[in-house]
């Protein structure tokens, strides 16, 4: 200390701390007011920013009051420098946490806006959060006088050993980044793998892809396997798709009448059922002279993959009822089997395996 502490010093320091605390309370009330107005806007980014300021603004005000109080006290140069560096590092850490929350929230909001689903690609969120936190930590260490050059060198050498030990984990990480960067799969897409797994992509994280199937169960697929396998994406390039329903009518039916009735049913289903495509132009294509009927394919339009089951269900019910009203038969498969028999007399029974003919000499002895 350059001089002894007096009552005036304590009063000034106390007033500075009280002013910082009061400023923190006022800023907290202001941020709360801003949060209510941010909820009324369509952009979710302002909600994320206000949420980050809810913690950072009052804390920064308190740290500012503590810095003013420290400068008012007659501290030594070494102690004053240590206090200043510590408060600056604490402020940098708080700002880093707020910035990481904002950046991660904006990335997540962008993923929501592009996919239109509740799930998100958390791999990008986690990567951005880790990068921001790492940069903030390095700046804070440099502020308190810790040289980061040896730390970076040690991290580089240690990172090589970690990379060799975590080959599978890193392979899944980069596979997930590649999948998202190539836009082959996005959260919300309905996919089907050649191995049979299918469902909606819920999330793509640093290690695996989470898929929710239609029975509401989660299927966990490693990113590396997803990047190597053949896959069908039913959402891209567009979500609407066409489905095929196979139908057959009897040979005595008027095919022109069958086509007209079927198209009327298709138009009714497309207009009435939720999940159908109202402007879809139905189509009927006759293709096979089968054993007992003429087969044809009906093409329906659905909004997305899971809607097809409801559309097929309603279409088959309506088509069956309409065919009955119009007298159009849907014959069941039949087959006639004819048996040909040349000789009506029954064949003599075969001898048992253990029965054998006796030799002539034995028969002569028995005659004696």
């Amino acid at each position: 200390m350059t001089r002894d502490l007096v009552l005036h010093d304590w009063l000034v320091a106390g007033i500075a701390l009280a002013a910082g605390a009061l400023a923190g309370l006022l800023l907290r009330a202001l941020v709360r007011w801003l949060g209510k107005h941010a909820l009324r806007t369509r952009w979710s980014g302002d909600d994320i920013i206000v949420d980050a300021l809810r913690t950072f603004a009052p804390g920064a005000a308190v740290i500012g009051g503590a810095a003013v109080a420290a400068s008012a006290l007659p501290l030594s140069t070494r102690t004053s420098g240590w206090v200043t560096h510590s408060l600056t590092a604490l402020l940098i850490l708080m700002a880093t946490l707020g910035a990481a929350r904002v950046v991660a929230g904006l990335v997540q909001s962008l993923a929501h806006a592009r996919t239109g689903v509740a799930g998100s690609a958390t791999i990008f969120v986690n990567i951005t959060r880790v990068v921001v936190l790492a940069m903030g930590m390095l700046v804070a260490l440099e502020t308190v006088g810790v040289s980061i050059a040896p730390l970076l060198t040690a991290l580089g050498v240690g990172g090589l050993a970690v990379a060799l030990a975590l080959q599978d984990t890193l392979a899944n990480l980069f596979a997930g980044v590649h999948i998202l960067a190539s836009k082959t799969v996005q959260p919300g897409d309905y996919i089907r793998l050649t191995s049979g797994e299918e469902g909606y992509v819920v999330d793509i994280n640093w290690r695996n892809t989470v898929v929710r199937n239609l029975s509401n169960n989660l299927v966990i697929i490693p990113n590396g396997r997803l990047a190597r396998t053949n896959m069908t994406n039913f959402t891209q390039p567009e979500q609407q798709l066409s489905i095929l329903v196979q139908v057959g009518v009897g040979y005595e039916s008027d095919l022109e009448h069958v086509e007209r009735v079927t198209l009327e049913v298709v138009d009714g289903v497309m207009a009435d059922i939720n999940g159908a495509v109202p402007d879809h132009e139905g189509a009927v294509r006759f293709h096979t002279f089968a054993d007992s009927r003429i087969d044809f394919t009906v093409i329906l339009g659905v909004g997305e993959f899971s809607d097809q089951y409801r559309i097929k269900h309603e279409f088959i019910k309506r088509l069956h009822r309409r065919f009955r009203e119009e007298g159009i038969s849907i014959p069941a498969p039949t087959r006639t089997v004819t048996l040909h028999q040349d000789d009506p007399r029954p064949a003599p029974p075969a001898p048992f395996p253990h029965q054998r003919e006796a030799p002539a000499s034995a028969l002569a002895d028995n005659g004696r």
Side-chain angles (χ1 to χ4, degrees), residues 4 10 14 30 53 66 71 75 91 114 120 125 127 170 193 204 231 234 236 241 254:
D4 295 333
W10 290 111
L30 177 61
L53 291 176
S71 63
L75 303 177
L91 183 63
R114 297 191 62 179
S120 64
V125 176
I127 288 176
L170 292 177
L193 307 184
I204 302 176
M231 172 185 58
F234 292 94
Q236 297 184 20
L241 67 153
D254 182 359

Side-chain angles (χ1 to χ4, degrees), residues 20-21 23-24 27 53 55-67 87 90-91 94-95:
L27 288 175
L53 291 176
T55 303
F56 173 72
V62 173
I63 292 176
L87 293 176
L90 181 60
L91 183 63
M94 292 183 60

